[in-house]
mmCIF file of all heavy atoms in Angstrom:
data_model
loop_
_atom_site.group_PDB
_atom_site.id
_atom_site.type_symbol
_atom_site.label_atom_id
_atom_site.label_comp_id
_atom_site.label_asym_id
_atom_site.label_seq_id
_atom_site.Cartn_x
_atom_site.Cartn_y
_atom_site.Cartn_z
ATOM 1 N N GLU R 530 65.587 -8.829 27.682
ATOM 2 C CA GLU R 530 66.667 -9.814 27.622
ATOM 3 C C GLU R 530 67.202 -9.964 26.168
ATOM 4 O O GLU R 530 68.381 -10.202 25.959
ATOM 5 C CB GLU R 530 66.202 -11.182 28.169
ATOM 6 C CG GLU R 530 65.082 -11.906 27.448
ATOM 7 C CD GLU R 530 63.719 -11.301 27.647
ATOM 8 O OE1 GLU R 530 63.568 -10.379 28.437
ATOM 9 O OE2 GLU R 530 62.766 -11.733 26.939
ATOM 10 N N ALA R 531 66.261 -9.830 25.198
ATOM 11 C CA ALA R 531 66.701 -9.854 23.797
ATOM 12 C C ALA R 531 67.646 -8.690 23.495
ATOM 13 O O ALA R 531 68.667 -8.840 22.807
ATOM 14 C CB ALA R 531 65.510 -9.838 22.831
ATOM 15 N N ARG R 532 67.256 -7.517 23.983
ATOM 16 C CA ARG R 532 68.112 -6.331 23.782
ATOM 17 C C ARG R 532 69.513 -6.556 24.396
ATOM 18 O O ARG R 532 70.534 -6.274 23.744
ATOM 19 C CB ARG R 532 67.480 -5.115 24.461
ATOM 20 C CG ARG R 532 68.184 -3.826 24.170
ATOM 21 C CD ARG R 532 67.735 -2.732 25.063
ATOM 22 N NE ARG R 532 68.341 -2.862 26.390
ATOM 23 C CZ ARG R 532 67.705 -2.715 27.528
ATOM 24 N NH1 ARG R 532 66.439 -2.462 27.565
ATOM 25 N NH2 ARG R 532 68.345 -2.854 28.680
ATOM 26 N N GLU R 533 69.515 -7.168 25.625
ATOM 27 C CA GLU R 533 70.798 -7.395 26.259
ATOM 28 C C GLU R 533 71.619 -8.411 25.442
ATOM 29 O O GLU R 533 72.845 -8.202 25.275
ATOM 30 C CB GLU R 533 70.578 -7.946 27.694
ATOM 31 C CG GLU R 533 70.137 -6.850 28.652
ATOM 32 C CD GLU R 533 69.491 -7.418 29.903
ATOM 33 O OE1 GLU R 533 69.695 -8.635 30.182
ATOM 34 O OE2 GLU R 533 68.810 -6.674 30.609
ATOM 35 N N ASP R 534 70.940 -9.459 24.931
ATOM 36 C CA ASP R 534 71.692 -10.468 24.167
ATOM 37 C C ASP R 534 72.321 -9.858 22.912
ATOM 38 O O ASP R 534 73.452 -10.112 22.562
ATOM 39 C CB ASP R 534 70.725 -11.589 23.741
ATOM 40 C CG ASP R 534 70.318 -12.444 24.975
ATOM 41 O OD1 ASP R 534 70.967 -12.299 26.041
ATOM 42 O OD2 ASP R 534 69.335 -13.206 24.861
ATOM 43 N N VAL R 535 71.532 -9.031 22.209
ATOM 44 C CA VAL R 535 72.000 -8.442 20.966
ATOM 45 C C VAL R 535 73.139 -7.453 21.275
ATOM 46 O O VAL R 535 74.153 -7.423 20.609
ATOM 47 C CB VAL R 535 70.871 -7.757 20.189
ATOM 48 C CG1 VAL R 535 71.370 -7.052 18.964
ATOM 49 C CG2 VAL R 535 69.803 -8.777 19.773
ATOM 50 N N ASP R 536 72.943 -6.669 22.335
ATOM 51 C CA ASP R 536 73.981 -5.723 22.716
ATOM 52 C C ASP R 536 75.293 -6.439 23.088
ATOM 53 O O ASP R 536 76.372 -5.981 22.754
ATOM 54 C CB ASP R 536 73.521 -4.855 23.903
ATOM 55 C CG ASP R 536 72.888 -3.552 23.432
ATOM 56 O OD1 ASP R 536 73.153 -3.196 22.294
ATOM 57 O OD2 ASP R 536 72.104 -2.964 24.196
ATOM 58 N N LYS R 537 75.105 -7.627 23.733
ATOM 59 C CA LYS R 537 76.297 -8.388 24.070
ATOM 60 C C LYS R 537 77.038 -8.887 22.781
ATOM 61 O O LYS R 537 78.226 -8.802 22.688
ATOM 62 C CB LYS R 537 75.844 -9.594 24.909
ATOM 63 C CG LYS R 537 76.947 -10.212 25.698
ATOM 64 C CD LYS R 537 76.365 -11.250 26.641
ATOM 65 C CE LYS R 537 77.484 -12.198 27.110
ATOM 66 N NZ LYS R 537 76.874 -13.361 27.801
ATOM 67 N N ALA R 538 76.197 -9.322 21.813
ATOM 68 C CA ALA R 538 76.781 -9.722 20.539
ATOM 69 C C ALA R 538 77.467 -8.580 19.841
ATOM 70 O O ALA R 538 78.438 -8.763 19.110
ATOM 71 C CB ALA R 538 75.695 -10.350 19.683
ATOM 72 N N LEU R 539 76.942 -7.389 20.051
ATOM 73 C CA LEU R 539 77.483 -6.181 19.395
ATOM 74 C C LEU R 539 78.585 -5.518 20.177
ATOM 75 O O LEU R 539 78.909 -4.319 19.911
ATOM 76 C CB LEU R 539 76.336 -5.145 19.194
ATOM 77 C CG LEU R 539 75.400 -5.349 17.972
ATOM 78 C CD1 LEU R 539 74.291 -4.321 18.025
ATOM 79 C CD2 LEU R 539 76.111 -5.242 16.679
ATOM 80 N N THR R 540 79.180 -6.209 21.098
ATOM 81 C CA THR R 540 80.192 -5.594 22.004
ATOM 82 C C THR R 540 81.242 -4.813 21.204
ATOM 83 O O THR R 540 81.626 -3.692 21.580
ATOM 84 C CB THR R 540 80.852 -6.676 22.866
ATOM 85 O OG1 THR R 540 79.814 -7.323 23.577
ATOM 86 C CG2 THR R 540 81.852 -6.062 23.856
ATOM 87 N N ALA R 541 81.672 -5.374 20.093
ATOM 88 C CA ALA R 541 82.761 -4.742 19.323
ATOM 89 C C ALA R 541 82.323 -3.421 18.795
ATOM 90 O O ALA R 541 83.152 -2.581 18.360
ATOM 91 C CB ALA R 541 83.191 -5.670 18.226
ATOM 92 N N TYR R 542 81.013 -3.168 18.706
ATOM 93 C CA TYR R 542 80.521 -1.909 18.155
ATOM 94 C C TYR R 542 80.007 -0.956 19.237
ATOM 95 O O TYR R 542 79.399 0.036 18.964
ATOM 96 C CB TYR R 542 79.321 -2.212 17.187
ATOM 97 C CG TYR R 542 79.763 -2.938 15.956
ATOM 98 C CD1 TYR R 542 79.944 -4.321 15.975
ATOM 99 C CD2 TYR R 542 80.046 -2.245 14.776
ATOM 100 C CE1 TYR R 542 80.340 -4.999 14.825
ATOM 101 C CE2 TYR R 542 80.465 -2.906 13.638
ATOM 102 C CZ TYR R 542 80.598 -4.299 13.678
ATOM 103 O OH TYR R 542 81.010 -4.960 12.566
ATOM 104 N N ARG R 543 80.250 -1.325 20.491
ATOM 105 C CA ARG R 543 79.716 -0.491 21.602
ATOM 106 C C ARG R 543 80.767 0.490 22.090
ATOM 107 O O ARG R 543 81.438 0.307 23.087
ATOM 108 C CB ARG R 543 79.259 -1.401 22.710
ATOM 109 C CG ARG R 543 78.176 -2.378 22.242
ATOM 110 C CD ARG R 543 77.204 -2.714 23.266
ATOM 111 N NE ARG R 543 76.552 -1.527 23.819
ATOM 112 C CZ ARG R 543 75.858 -1.553 24.941
ATOM 113 N NH1 ARG R 543 75.741 -2.651 25.648
ATOM 114 N NH2 ARG R 543 75.312 -0.454 25.381
ATOM 115 N N GLY R 544 80.892 1.560 21.273
ATOM 116 C CA GLY R 544 81.869 2.571 21.635
ATOM 117 C C GLY R 544 81.399 3.893 21.047
ATOM 118 O O GLY R 544 80.309 3.984 20.513
ATOM 119 N N PRO R 545 82.214 4.939 21.152
ATOM 120 C CA PRO R 545 81.788 6.256 20.630
ATOM 121 C C PRO R 545 81.677 6.290 19.117
ATOM 122 O O PRO R 545 82.470 5.620 18.422
ATOM 123 C CB PRO R 545 82.918 7.183 21.133
ATOM 124 C CG PRO R 545 84.094 6.280 21.365
ATOM 125 C CD PRO R 545 83.564 4.948 21.781
ATOM 126 N N VAL R 546 80.672 6.987 18.649
ATOM 127 C CA VAL R 546 80.501 7.178 17.184
ATOM 128 C C VAL R 546 81.458 8.261 16.772
ATOM 129 O O VAL R 546 81.445 9.355 17.351
ATOM 130 C CB VAL R 546 79.039 7.559 16.862
ATOM 131 C CG1 VAL R 546 78.874 7.938 15.427
ATOM 132 C CG2 VAL R 546 78.089 6.409 17.239
ATOM 133 N N VAL R 547 82.300 7.997 15.798
ATOM 134 C CA VAL R 547 83.308 9.000 15.419
ATOM 135 C C VAL R 547 82.975 9.687 14.077
ATOM 136 O O VAL R 547 83.538 10.706 13.762
ATOM 137 C CB VAL R 547 84.717 8.399 15.370
ATOM 138 C CG1 VAL R 547 85.230 8.056 16.756
ATOM 139 C CG2 VAL R 547 84.796 7.139 14.475
#
Side-chain angles (χ1 to χ4, degrees):
Chain R
E530 65 286 353
R532 188 194 77 224
E533 285 163 16
D534 290 345
V535 176
D536 268 339
K537 199 172 162 191
L539 278 175
T540 303
Y542 293 84
R543 301 212 57 195
V546 173
V547 291

